């Protein structure tokens, strides 16, 4: 219930949201909640949910407060998702906050999986408000929200295209279209996702490891009805760095699947691996909140045809190919997107981010 | 010969170049030269070549100087192209400057069609320098320079593409991909060109008048081997606003050509209208310095295959089509471009400008 949110509340909540943004891609299947404790304009402590199984954001912030030598009593708690009321892997955060003696709790979003903590907090004499900076929180926790409410991950499509709209040369060979600096951006971006998804063709042509920059690598997921994932591919041989999953159906050869399983590849059988909806359901069931689909042309075509993309990240190359592989094979279904941030140059590549709008015209 | 150019010289030359930029698209087959007269840090007069047959920039600037009640004696003349030495449609500008008693002449570029005015100016006791802000001048006068040195116009390709790289829906029907504000930009841009070039398919599908904003409209040129330009098309029926030319070969029906000619369409027969080189040669011979190729997919494919584009102006729509008309049919020949200016948003459309680089990698 929103009672009285001041501009100061919004400022502190944005600090908590910044914490949450850092945890994107690190906490699946959980949301990467952020939390800040404030009293008299001073930050007493802050925290974020860092990994599934670890402490929630609120105990992290209380712990940080204690370590800094502050007393949390009388503090206001800014948390990007309403504190949990039920015992899960950790004791309920509502209880921890009540015990810490905080005066007020401000949440950005209600938690659709938990009870409303309003009554508990009222009983304890704690003011509770929800809805502060909700749009940003919906954006940051959007993957998790979509998974728990719709049973699908949030899907971001990413590709580099030539000036004339091709994803690569006609021949099945690898060619970097985008600039080295934009490739670096693209690698860094991977760590904000729970899974990087590609088709068998991309594995065959590019044979990339699909790792992120730094040490936090998302799962690498290959969609291939026939299980076309060579045991000697860069993905499989780099399995010590991040998990590899294969989404296949019964067109895949059992002995090849056994060989992959023995090497540690996670097998995710579905009835029809060409059915985008089944693929997304399987990924949601496996706990992925945010997935990044990196290609190739066939997978992008199927995803676009299924209207699966919530967001697009496009890298427009400075190269014109004249001929090549284009996105295709989708039945004609138009979708409108809006720019998420202004486009920018990275090297000679134009990087643009787009959000889907449901309904609406082309502009 | 460059003797001594100061930062102040560069500043005044940029003022003259701004004059020249205004004349882009207005003076073909001439270059739209700009000129500024300066003495003791004061602009005495400025001028530009406004239209073919009108006075050159130097007499315009001298005239402006006189009208403002200034005496041009002892002034420095900044002119974007070396003053002409020969009698053309107008008496030589070198003579006019000598008669006006100016002290110094600074030119951005030498004129490849004229004699070097160095000797004439030396004889008259006038200091003469060339090469001031040459790169910008080469850019502004690039179309004219290319035509007089290579016999081809400078060619700019322009298209709007969907997020997934299509130029339009698969069915031959018109659909605006870009935002209204970016369409307005695109219409304004047309007046900086000597001709807007399209293929017969674009006439058939879009039936646009291809006019600019304002009163200065470029020629509209249709390339169609078979002369597919309907007499009732918007181009032909708007002929009172700007000329229409048809580039065709002997596959066109003679009676249809006669009908078009009687309506005022300029006929430009070539041996093979599918040969990009012949088309460009014909346009250069007709005096076009700068042409803007607006479509459609076939013409762009042919131009890219022939490596004809010096510049590209791309309008990336916020719409994803899933399927549609793509640029194609070119043999695979890669070309590198570099961003001319940073990309920007206009409505929901990302507008990017690119310059061809000869050689070099993808970034």
């Amino acid at each position: 219930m929103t009672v009285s949110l001041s501009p100061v509340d919004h400022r502190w909540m944005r600090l908590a949201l910044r914490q949450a943004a850092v945890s994107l891609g690190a906490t699946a299947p959980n949301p990467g909640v952020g939390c800040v404790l404030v009293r008299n304009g001073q930050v007493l402590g802050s925290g974020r949910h860092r990994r599934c199984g670890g402490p929630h954001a609120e105990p992290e912030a209380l712990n940080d407060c204690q370590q800094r030598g502050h007393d949390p009593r009388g503090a206001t708690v800014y948390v990007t998702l309403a504190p949990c009321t039920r015992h899960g892997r950790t004791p309920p955060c509502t209880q921890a906050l009540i015990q810490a003696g905080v005066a007020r709790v401000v949440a950005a979003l209600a938690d659709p999986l938990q009870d409303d903590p309003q009554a508990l907090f009222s009983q304890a004499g704690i003011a509770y408000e929800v809805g502060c900076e909700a749009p940003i929180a919906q954006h940051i926790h959007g993957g998790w929200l979509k998974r728990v409410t719709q049973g699908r991950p949030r899907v971001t499509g990413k590709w580099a295209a030539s000036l004339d709209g091709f994803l690569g040369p006609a021949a099945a060979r690898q060619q970097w279209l985008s600039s080295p600096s934009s490739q670096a951006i693209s690698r860094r971006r991977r760590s904000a996702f729970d899974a990087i998804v590609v088709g068998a063709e991309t594995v065959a042509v590019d044979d990339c490891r699909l790792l992120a920059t730094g040490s936090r690598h998302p799962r690498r997921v290959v969609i291939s009805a026939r299980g076309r994932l060579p045991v000697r591919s860069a993905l499989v041989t780099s399995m010590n760095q991040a998990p590899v999953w294969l989404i296949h159906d019964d067109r895949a050869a059992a002995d090849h699947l056994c060989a992959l399983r023995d090497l540690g590849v996670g097998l995710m059988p579905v009835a029809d691996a060409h059915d985008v909806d089944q693929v997304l359901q399987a990924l949601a069931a496996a706990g992925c909140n945010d997935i990044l689909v990196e290609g190739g042309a066939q997978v992008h075509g199927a995803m676009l045809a299924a209207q699966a993309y919530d967001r697009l990240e496009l890298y427009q190359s400075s190269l014109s190919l004249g001929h090549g592989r284009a996105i295709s094979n989708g039945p004609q279904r138009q979708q409108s997107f809006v720019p998420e941030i202004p486009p920018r140059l990275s090297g000679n590549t134009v990087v643009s981010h787009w959000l889907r709008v449901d309904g609406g015209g082309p502009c």
Side-chain angles (χ1 to χ4, degrees), chain A residues 23-43:
Chain A
S23 275
L24 271 171
T27 60
N30 294 345
V33 177
C35 181
V36 176
L37 260 66
V38 177
R39 189 177 53 218
N40 299 330
Q42 191 197 355
V43 174

Side-chain angles (χ1 to χ4, degrees), chain A residues 135-152:
Chain A
I136 300 179
Q138 261 153 3
H139 184 71
I140 290 175
H141 296 314
W144 176 79
L145 281 169
K146 191 177 170 197
R147 185 179 64 77
V148 299
T149 59
Q150 299 175 38
R152 304 282 182 285

Side-chain angles (χ1 to χ4, degrees), chain A residues 82-336:
Chain A
C84 58
T85 50
R86 304 188 199 155
H87 265 274
R89 297 174 204 247
T90 57
C93 294
T94 40
Q95 202 178 309
L97 293 173
I98 291 168
Q99 278 170 357
V102 303
R104 183 170 169 241
V105 174
V106 179
L109 297 176
D111 185 334
L113 301 186
Q114 300 278 333
D115 304 321
D116 186 352
Q118 179 72 54
L120 274 172
F121 283 139
S122 287
Q123 225 172 350
I126 296 173
Y128 175 64
E129 291 154 76
V130 68
C132 181
E133 293 290 343
I136 300 179
Q138 261 153 3
H139 184 71
I140 290 175
H141 296 314
W144 176 79
L145 281 169
K146 191 177 170 197
R147 185 179 64 77
V148 299
T149 59
Q150 299 175 38
R152 304 282 182 285
R154 172 161 62 179
V155 188
T156 305
K158 191 204 88 173
W159 62 80
S162 68
L163 281 176
D164 39 355
F166 299 108
L167 268 55
R173 61 183 174 82
Q174 189 195 19
Q175 168 162 21
W176 289 110
L177 288 176
S178 52
S179 65
S181 66
S182 73
Q183 287 165 32
I185 291 178
S186 159
R187 269 195 303 275
R188 270 199 304 278
R189 281 287 294 149
R190 284 184 183 142
S191 61
F193 292 88
D194 303 317
I196 308 299
V197 179
V198 296
E201 189 66 23
T202 298
V203 175
V205 173
D206 293 347
D207 196 25
C208 278
R209 297 186 302 162
L210 302 172
L211 295 172
T213 309
S215 58
R216 201 168 84 194
H217 304 298
R219 297 151 194 82
R220 286 92 41 92
V221 179
V222 179
I223 308 172
S224 172
R226 291 188 215 154
R228 282 174 56 211
L229 171 61
V231 293
R232 289 179 182 283
S233 61
L235 283 179
V236 176
T237 54
S238 66
M239 207 136 52
N240 55 334
Q241 299 189 259
V244 176
W245 294 350
L246 174 66
I247 299 178
H248 65 89
D249 57 31
D250 55 17
R251 280 168 274 196
D255 53 345
H256 181 57
L257 292 178
C258 283
L260 289 172
R261 194 190 50 209
D262 290 347
L263 287 166
V265 172
L267 299 181
M268 297 174 72
V270 293
D272 179 3
H274 290 147
D275 182 329
V276 167
D277 212 47
Q278 289 182 25
V279 167
L280 296 180
Q281 266 180 291
L283 286 166
C288 294
N289 296 327
D290 265 302
I291 67 167
L292 181 67
V293 180
E294 293 211 12
Q298 263 191 318
V299 174
H300 288 309
M303 291 279 171
L304 283 167
Q307 311 229 15
Y309 285 138
D310 299 297
R311 303 189 295 188
L312 290 176
E313 299 190 7
L314 303 189
Y315 293 72
Q316 184 164 55
S317 155
S318 57
L319 207 63
S320 144
L321 292 177
H323 199 72
R325 275 173 285 141
I327 292 176
S328 66
N329 304 321
Q332 186 183 325
R333 288 171 76 178
Q334 297 189 4
Q335 281 168 275
S336 286

Side-chain angles (χ1 to χ4, degrees), chain A residues 334-363:
Chain A
Q334 297 189 4
Q335 281 168 275
S336 286
F337 291 77
V338 289
E340 193 178 347
I341 49 172
R344 62 193 194 281
L345 271 183
S346 173
N348 281 340
T349 298
V350 174
V351 184
S352 58
H353 293 241
W354 305 79
L355 282 178
R356 183 171 62 192
V357 282
D358 291 310
C363 49

Side-chain angles (χ1 to χ4, degrees), chain A residues 15-24 32-35 47-48 80 140-141:
Chain A
L15 204 63
L17 286 162
R18 216 170 294 168
Q19 292 278 333
V22 176
S23 275
L24 271 171
V33 177
C35 181
R48 59 183 178 90
T80 62
I140 290 175
H141 296 314

